[in-house]
Amino acid sequence: MEVSITGHNRRVITRRLFFLFICMWVPMEVVGKAGNGSVSSRPSVVNIGALFTVDSVIGRSAKPAVLAAIDDVNSDESILSGIKLNIILLDTNCSGFLGTIEALQLMENDVVAAVGPQSSGIAHVISHVVNELHVPLLSFGATDPTLSALQYPYFVRTTQNDYFQMYAIADLIDYYGWREVIAIFVDDDNGRNGISVLGDALAKKRAKISYKAAFTPGAPKSAINDLLVGVNLMESRVYVLHVNPDSGLSILHIAKNLGMISSGYVWIATDWLPSQLDSIEPADPDTMNLLQGVVALRHHTPDTDLKKRFVSKWKNLKDKETASFNSYALYAYDSVWLAAHALDVFLSEGGNMSFSSDPRFHDTNRSTLQLGTLRTFNGGQQFLQTILKTNFTGLRGQIRFDPDKNLVNPAYDVLNIGGTGSRKIGYWSNYSGLSVIAPEILYQKPPNTSTSNQHLYGVIWPGETTSTPRGWVFPNNGKSLRIGVPNRISYKEFVTKDDSPQGVRGFCIDVFEAAINLLPYPVPRKYILYGHGDRNPEYNELVYQVTQNNFDAVVGDVTITTNRTKIVDFTQPYMTSGLVVVVPVKEMKSSPWAFLKPFSIEMWCVTGAFFLFVGAVVWILEHRINHEFRGPPSQQLMTIFWFSFSTMFFSHRENTVSTLGRLILLIWLFVVLIINSSYTASLTSILTVQQLTSRVEGIDSLISSTESIGVQDGSFARKYLVDELNIAESRLVTLKNQQDYTDALQHGPKNGGVAAIVDELPYIELFLSNTNCRFRIVGQEFTKSGWGYAFQRDSPLAVDMSTAILQLSENGDLQKIHDKWLTHKECTMQVNEVDSNRLSLNSFWGLFLICGIACLIALIVFFCRVLCQYIKFNPEAEEAQVDMEPARSSRRTSRTPSFKDLIGFVDKKEEDIKEILRRKSIDSKRQPSQVSVGQSFSPS
């Protein structure tokens, strides 16, 4: 974190600089032995340095914490037994130059590690020094993300990296749905690099920093006031304040005076604000009144017993002049213990505690700077690796480093400032994102950073409101929303030029105005016509003007396409649309053979065959018992034909008496009923429809043909047909207005016209209603899209307008506007193709299958019954009885039954068969002699 330079500090710095440079001209006595230095495997005293600004919010907490840690280490016999840890503390006074000089002075004391600095700017400079001298730098306050670079191997950050804090802020912004923020920061290493990481984190959430409001360190209040006045004129109302604790409150005080901490504003402060509040606790009422509604992040430290004991001892640790205590005190305390733990391991492993002079530092050019007094820590590299491998539990939790030299388990408390203090509304960790559950509990569960798992408690925002602010307003700079409107020459019902003060009118304009009126805030706007008025403008170019900042939005009949959504944001569609094919139609001429068209050829053939088949089946089933189905062969044949076809009209006069015959007739009459009804409906439709004059039946047949296609001037249909459907551009004919549509379709492709027109459905519906239904749509819509209003990328107005359009649709106002502008006559004449009304066998094969199966079953039952009778009176059975009586066999002559006998048996009447059965039964009772086959089958 950074601190500001006060006037008093400047005077102190000036005096110390003057004294330092005077001393540089005096030969300095080298403390210690030159050359390779002495080697001590187990020294009695080990020096470590401390380097930070004592008189600062962070320094006032860090100094007593560092001193307390030194005392605790020296009094703990379990660590560094027999070795005293000596602290050498120097004050950098918020000066990078002084910090560098004092770092050099610190290195003259043979320190093995340096705790600090708190300033990222000073850390950048000092890191070069410790790199040369191999002294690890344990910084508890430098949070600049770039300090983790490989350029600074001896820099070890013992606090949280601002990289994680910026990602926490990005998650917070995404959680509330904001898309643009303004970053206010100090223009130094810590500020610039932190905000740079924030920009990257927001980009992953499809948000951005709309403006970076930077001010110089120590900037006067007048400069900050001017900066905030300019910020207040901008659109975004979400401010991320990334400054240092010593100057942050003054910025908020100026913002309060400008009315910028009120309803509608959002202030998100980094960890500097909780550090400041914790240091001055309890805060005075004026300060708390200044911060009402601010959201801030604070380093999360688990409430362990070790931490509680330290806090309870704090009153004895702090300086008498201040009650300062914040999270940086914990990091400073743990930094000393980190050095102690690592030093203990380093010495136990035989680490080299020697220092040696570097020849490069000797004064070869008679320089007055005594760089020769600087000595390199010979065991520095080994000690650095030991530090990075150290793992222990400190005041802030587990102290362990990941491969990037960052502390593991980074986490922050999310605070909401209100009343006389702050309220914790949740936590953030890179393990599970935003949560109302403490991170140490979540570490025991699988990680889950999904959107549905992000939760925070409610926030009281500036202005004492609990509803989440929109996060943006229209800029207070007098500028109106620049709205591009297509200057159409056709289909002016949608949008056209007008002489009214508004300058435009139409369906699209009315919907836009109705949606604007539903917004809870005013939207100053100005409509600007795009196009020369002699032809429809190119809509892709119109949308492109939004990306060039020539327009803030485009209002009109703009189709939402994939390529356009890549460069602008569209609202919810207010009109459904899709490409369709239009062709001409004419009245169908009557034909003397129209009665044959309802059925296909296959249907006619199968139907006729079934009439004959069913007639034959019924004749077979009725022939033996029904006298109406008997007689000469010619008469029986005529009966079959007459009975079959008379069932079509339910006019058959022959009665059926058999059970099987009646069942078959019942099923067949049901089939005939279905066929008659379908035939009547199809013939009626065919005789009352229109016929197409074109062979085009849809987009597929249009693609396969080579005939010309009409497209509307300026429409995206041309690009779609060429790029997506691979239709040759030479086939496309540009049509400017509705009269061009009519002429092109009537002339046809052979007379310089077109075979069909491809255009969007809303245009075509309006076109058809004005042409007395002389044309029609064929096939289905082959694209599904809609019309929407285009805004610049990430414009929050697009989201609010989408909500307003949905509201218009739900309350019926959208339909009313549609009826006002686009009410048109519907075509009352049916339009259809003959082929679509022609019935094929596919529609009836199930009926025929049922009927056929029933007939086959009836025939099988019938013939089984006849066969049983025939076997019962089989002549061979009677001859077997003759063989049993040899005496009588000589009197009779047996013969083999033939197929003719079977046919003759089938042809007999049922009553004759029964009579023969009766007589045979009587004869068999009177005498055992067998009745000859010839007698049995003799004519009655």
Side-chain angles (χ1 to χ4, degrees):
M1 297 301 299
E2 312 300 325
V3 294
S4 62
I5 302 176
T6 63
H8 172 71
N9 286 338
R10 289 194 186 93
R11 290 191 296 271
V12 173
I13 292 171
T14 303
R15 289 195 298 269
R16 295 194 63 176
L17 282 174
F18 177 78
F19 175 78
L20 180 64
F21 279 104
I22 293 297
C23 292
M24 287 296 182
W25 293 93
V26 180
M28 300 177 65
E29 181 180 357
V30 179
V31 180
K33 297 182 180 180
N36 294 330
S38 60
V39 178
S40 175
S41 60
R42 195 75 180 178
S44 59
V45 178
V46 175
N47 293 334
I48 65 170
L51 195 67
F52 51 87
T53 301
V54 175
D55 188 18
S56 65
V57 172
I58 296 177
R60 286 190 292 270
S61 293
K63 179 181 177 181
V66 169
L67 296 178
I70 292 294
D71 292 340
D72 290 345
V73 169
N74 290 332
S75 61
D76 192 339
E77 297 181 355
S78 64
I79 189 171
L80 293 178
S81 178
I83 299 177
K84 179 183 178 182
L85 203 61
N86 182 46
I87 184 73
I88 301 175
L89 194 152
L90 297 180
D91 190 354
T92 60
N93 282 297
C94 289
S95 170
F97 177 75
L98 281 181
T100 304
I101 298 301
E102 291 183 350
L104 294 174
Q105 292 178 342
L106 194 63
M107 299 305 146
E108 294 175 351
N109 295 283
D110 293 345
V111 295
V112 297
V115 176
Q118 70 191 58
S119 167
S120 296
I122 297 176
H124 275 280
V125 179
I126 297 178
S127 293
H128 294 287
V129 176
V130 296
N131 285 350
E132 295 294 333
L133 301 179
H134 299 176
V135 176
L137 188 63
L138 310 181
S139 177
F140 59 87
T143 58
D144 179 5
T146 62
L147 286 169
S148 298
L150 299 177
Q151 181 183 6
Y152 309 112
Y154 282 87
F155 176 85
V156 180
R157 195 194 319 270
T158 58
T159 186
Q160 297 293 353
N161 190 337
D162 266 351
Y163 173 90
F164 301 107
Q165 181 170 210
M166 295 307 164
Y167 271 81
I169 293 176
D171 284 348
L172 193 64
I173 292 170
D174 181 65
Y175 177 79
Y176 290 109
W178 300 313
R179 288 291 171 260
E180 292 186 8
V181 302
I182 292 178
I184 304 174
F185 62 98
V186 181
D187 192 11
D188 57 10
D189 291 326
N190 186 68
R192 283 191 306 270
N193 296 328
I195 295 303
S196 177
V197 173
L198 177 61
D200 295 338
L202 289 175
K204 296 180 180 179
K205 304 291 184 180
R206 204 185 168 186
K208 66 178 181 180
I209 300 175
S210 59
Y211 183 73
K212 295 181 179 181
F215 58 90
T216 59
K221 291 184 177 181
S222 59
I224 297 176
N225 184 83
D226 295 341
L227 179 69
L228 293 181
V229 168
V231 165
N232 198 32
L233 294 177
M234 298 178 183
E235 183 179 87
S236 178
R237 284 291 182 265
V238 181
Y239 305 131
V240 176
L241 187 58
H242 185 47
V243 294
N244 55 68
D246 297 275
S247 61
L249 290 180
S250 62
I251 297 172
L252 289 174
H253 183 76
I254 296 173
K256 183 72 173 181
N257 293 337
L258 293 175
M260 296 176 65
I261 308 182
S262 58
S263 180
Y265 289 85
V266 177
W267 286 86
I268 301 175
T270 52
D271 64 316
W272 68 267
L273 180 56
S275 299
Q276 172 75 356
L277 294 180
D278 292 342
S279 299
I280 59 177
E281 194 175 26
D284 61 276
D286 292 337
T287 300
M288 297 310 301
N289 183 56
L290 180 70
L291 302 174
Q292 297 298 305
V294 176
V295 175
L297 297 182
R298 179 176 63 192
H299 297 127
H300 174 71
T301 54
D303 291 328
T304 60
D305 294 337
L306 186 62
K307 175 185 172 182
K308 292 177 181 178
R309 287 195 299 269
F310 177 79
V311 173
S312 65
K313 292 168 53 180
W314 179 252
K315 292 183 179 181
N316 299 324
L317 297 176
K318 66 186 179 182
D319 292 339
K320 295 181 180 179
E321 300 175 356
T322 177
S324 178
F325 172 77
N326 52 45
S327 60
Y328 287 98
L330 305 179
Y331 289 112
Y333 184 90
D334 286 343
S335 297
V336 175
W337 273 95
L338 172 63
H341 279 287
L343 186 61
D344 189 44
V345 174
F346 174 76
L347 293 175
S348 63
E349 293 178 350
N352 185 5
M353 287 294 295
S354 65
F355 294 84
S356 61
S357 299
D358 192 329
R360 296 176 299 168
F361 299 156
H362 287 291
D363 184 12
T364 56
N365 295 322
R366 297 183 179 179
S367 172
T368 57
L369 296 176
Q370 302 298 319
L371 297 180
T373 59
L374 300 178
R375 299 201 299 166
T376 302
F377 180 23
N378 295 329
Q381 179 61 35
Q382 181 184 351
F383 185 46
L384 173 64
Q385 297 305 317
T386 304
I387 291 175
L388 296 178
K389 295 177 182 178
T390 300
N391 184 2
F392 71 99
T393 300
L395 296 181
R396 63 153 305 275
Q398 185 180 18
I399 305 297
R400 181 167 60 88
F401 296 95
D402 63 15
D404 295 325
K405 297 198 303 183
N406 292 315
L407 288 176
V408 297
N409 300 331
Y412 291 87
D413 298 334
V414 184
L415 307 178
N416 181 208
I417 313 299
T420 58
S422 61
R423 182 172 59 96
K424 189 181 299 181
I425 61 173
Y427 307 89
W428 180 92
S429 68
N430 68 332
Y431 189 79
S432 295
L434 297 171
S435 175
V436 294
I437 303 174
E440 51 268 22
I441 299 176
L442 294 176
Y443 293 148
Q444 302 173 8
K445 303 177 182 179
N448 187 355
T449 57
S450 62
T451 303
S452 60
N453 197 51
Q454 307 299 295
H455 300 289
L456 289 175
Y457 292 120
V459 176
I460 300 177
W461 303 99
E464 297 185 359
T465 177
T466 56
S467 58
T468 303
R470 288 196 317 274
W472 69 279
V473 295
F474 275 92
N476 241 352
N477 51 18
K479 293 182 180 179
S480 299
L481 197 70
R482 300 164 300 167
I483 303 175
V485 178
N487 190 8
R488 295 190 59 88
I489 63 169
S490 63
Y491 298 109
K492 294 184 177 181
E493 293 86 349
F494 294 106
V495 60
T496 186
K497 182 180 179 181
D498 189 38
D499 295 331
S500 65
Q502 191 169 259
V504 289
R505 63 182 178 88
F507 168 74
C508 303
I509 302 299
D510 281 6
V511 174
F512 184 79
E513 287 291 327
I516 284 288
N517 292 333
L518 291 178
L519 299 182
Y521 48 86
V523 180
R525 54 200 176 277
K526 177 175 64 176
Y527 294 100
I528 305 172
L529 288 170
Y530 180 81
H532 301 292
D534 55 346
R535 57 176 294 184
N536 293 334
E538 181 63 37
Y539 276 54
N540 285 335
E541 291 295 328
L542 175 57
V543 173
Y544 183 71
Q545 295 300 315
V546 177
T547 66
Q548 297 301 302
N549 202 30
N550 295 325
F551 295 130
D552 297 311
V554 169
V555 172
D557 47 340
V558 181
T559 304
I560 303 173
T561 64
T562 302
N563 290 333
R564 291 172 183 173
T565 57
K566 294 178 180 178
I567 59 176
V568 297
D569 282 350
F570 279 95
T571 62
Q572 172 80 15
Y574 63 89
M575 169 74 84
T576 58
S577 179
L579 292 178
V580 294
V581 179
V582 180
V583 296
V585 295
K586 69 176 182 179
E587 194 72 26
M588 185 186 72
K589 296 180 180 180
S590 60
S591 170
W593 305 102
F595 67 91
L596 295 176
K597 294 181 179 178
F599 288 163
S600 62
I601 296 176
E602 295 83 0
M603 183 65 182
W604 279 118
C605 294
V606 172
T607 303
F610 257 84
F611 270 108
L612 296 176
F613 174 67
V614 172
V617 170
V618 173
W619 177 83
I620 292 173
L621 297 176
E622 295 289 325
H623 176 69
R624 302 182 73 192
I625 61 177
N626 194 339
H627 67 89
E628 294 183 357
F629 288 87
R630 299 186 68 83
S634 60
Q635 181 182 346
Q636 295 183 51
L637 187 61
M638 289 301 298
T639 300
I640 292 175
F641 275 95
W642 166 254
F643 180 82
S644 298
F645 291 100
S646 63
T647 56
M648 177 183 294
F649 312 103
F650 305 98
S651 60
H652 51 284
R653 60 172 179 261
E654 292 80 8
N655 294 321
T656 53
V657 297
S658 68
T659 302
L660 292 176
R662 288 177 177 177
L663 179 62
I664 296 303
L665 183 60
L666 180 64
I667 295 175
W668 176 244
L669 290 179
F670 176 74
V671 175
V672 170
L673 175 65
I674 299 299
I675 293 176
N676 279 345
S677 301
S678 302
Y679 176 85
T680 303
S682 180
L683 182 61
T684 302
S685 178
I686 289 174
L687 294 178
T688 57
V689 300
Q690 290 178 319
Q691 284 282 353
L692 292 175
T693 61
S694 173
R695 294 184 301 275
V696 177
E697 300 177 356
I699 187 61
D700 293 332
S701 58
L702 191 61
I703 294 174
S704 60
S705 68
T706 58
E707 295 175 328
S708 55
I709 305 171
V711 294
Q712 184 183 169
D713 188 20
S715 172
F716 82 99
R718 171 184 289 274
K719 185 174 179 62
Y720 182 85
L721 294 177
V722 174
D723 295 345
E724 302 296 333
L725 302 183
N726 298 319
I727 294 177
E729 194 166 4
S730 58
R731 293 178 56 191
L732 304 182
V733 178
T734 301
L735 306 175
K736 292 186 177 181
N737 51 47
Q738 298 181 49
Q739 187 60 44
D740 288 351
Y741 279 36
T742 303
D743 295 341
L745 287 173
Q746 288 181 339
H747 293 159
K750 295 182 180 179
N751 298 317
V754 296
I757 291 176
V758 175
D759 206 349
E760 295 182 76
L761 184 60
Y763 301 124
I764 296 304
E765 288 179 342
L766 198 59
F767 168 69
L768 294 180
S769 66
N770 296 329
T771 55
N772 198 24
C773 301
R774 288 177 291 170
F775 312 99
R776 66 151 298 190
I777 298 172
V778 292
Q780 302 294 325
E781 292 181 67
F782 55 92
T783 64
K784 292 292 184 181
S785 58
W787 291 354
Y789 302 123
F791 290 86
Q792 293 184 357
R793 294 286 286 179
D794 302 321
S795 172
L797 188 58
V799 179
D800 289 354
M801 285 295 292
S802 294
T803 304
I805 290 171
L806 289 175
Q807 188 175 347
L808 287 175
S809 177
E810 292 172 356
N811 61 24
D813 290 343
L814 187 60
Q815 185 62 42
K816 294 177 182 178
I817 299 173
H818 180 277
D819 295 340
K820 171 187 174 182
W821 288 99
L822 306 178
T823 300
H824 47 75
K825 300 180 297 180
E826 296 291 342
C827 292
T828 57
M829 188 177 301
Q830 283 188 329
V831 181
N832 211 335
E833 295 95 345
V834 173
D835 289 342
S836 64
N837 288 304
R838 178 169 291 176
L839 300 174
S840 65
L841 186 60
N842 292 332
S843 304
F844 299 94
W845 69 267
L847 285 174
F848 288 131
L849 179 63
I850 294 173
C851 183
I853 292 175
C855 290
L856 291 177
I857 292 175
L859 289 175
I860 291 172
V861 173
F862 173 77
F863 280 113
C864 287
R865 180 170 172 270
V866 171
L867 187 60
C868 289
Q869 291 178 345
Y870 181 69
I871 292 175
K872 189 174 183 180
F873 298 104
N874 191 344
E876 294 180 359
E878 296 178 2
E879 288 178 4
Q881 295 178 8
V882 172
D883 292 338
M884 295 173 63
E885 300 177 3
R888 295 186 179 185
S889 62
S890 59
R891 302 178 187 178
R892 301 179 182 271
T893 303
S894 64
R895 64 186 182 86
T896 304
S898 64
F899 180 74
K900 184 177 180 181
D901 295 332
L902 177 61
I903 296 300
F905 180 79
V906 173
D907 189 57
K908 296 291 289 182
K909 291 182 178 180
E910 184 73 18
E911 58 185 14
D912 292 343
I913 296 300
K914 291 181 179 180
E915 179 63 23
I916 293 172
L917 179 63
R918 187 181 64 82
R919 289 170 53 189
K920 180 175 174 56
S921 177
I922 294 173
D923 291 344
S924 62
K925 290 179 179 181
R926 289 179 179 179
Q927 55 184 1
S929 60
Q930 181 182 7
V931 181
S932 67
V933 176
Q935 291 175 337
S936 300
F937 287 86
S938 61
S940 57

